[in-house]
Amino acid sequence: MTKTQFHRFSAIAAGAAALLVLQGCSSYVSKGITDDGKATEVVFPSIDNDAWLKEGTFPNLDNLRAVAPGVTKDQLYDLLGRPHFREGLAGPREWDYIFHFRKAGGGVTTCQYKAIFDKDYKAQTFHWLPAGCGDVLAARPVQAAERPAGPAPAAPRKITLGADGLFRFDGGALADLLPEGRRKLDALAGDIKSVKTFDAIKVTGHTDRLGSNTYNNALSLARANTVRDYLVQAGVAPQNMQVQGKGESEPKVQCAQTSRAALIDCLAPNRRVEIEVFGGR
């Protein structure tokens, strides 16, 4: 086996492992889910036994308010991220999340959130545990005239790292990180830790168009997970970190070279990992 073949095999194995996590079966199913996305008995999973992301996330409230009957799985994924339990992405008729909300007087409230899909896999009903957690969406936002004078919230800070500088070609696992990639991530971790507070960090992996959609989606997610895991090992708090893989769906450049080597070089900007820091102060 050549070195290139070995690296490709390692990447495929990492991608397959990520897909297995996403497609794991669950030990809980709501009872009597109908074609129109309702259930006769809503069953919530156990955080300790069924969640792969037990620490949950602090969701964006505007994104939560944008969720409404009829949203597709892709739209829900874009708004809230992948589900936090081992229930798979494609087939299941319900997705579950663990959300944290900061209390006005201090402290944090932890809630579970469930979306149930109709036969066409559009979310139709939504449920909270405890039920009162949904009140956070009804809270009246402060109007502009009522806000105290002060600087406007800062826009999210986005750092884009080229995948070619982070990973060996076609690689996405921790073992595929290049020495220069490790140095970049160490510097980034130090920069993030110097921020006093932040609301969330989103890590998004991207690939070029070479290869199948399934392979590229798995590879982009594996790269994002590796970057997240590396930052956590470097001391960045994991609680507010969100991870997603966009595959080849958001290219920065379009290329038409006939030589494969030239095409790979041209497509380099599409192979990247983006890190967004929200609310850093």
Side-chain angles (χ1 to χ4, degrees), residues 137-156:
L137 301 182
R140 184 176 66 89
V142 177
Q143 298 300 316
E146 300 176 284
R147 294 191 184 104

Side-chain angles (χ1 to χ4, degrees), residues 233-248:
Q233 291 174 10
V236 178
Q239 289 82 0
N240 299 344
M241 296 183 71
Q242 304 171 16
V243 176
Q244 59 183 348
K246 292 293 187 72
E248 62 188 81

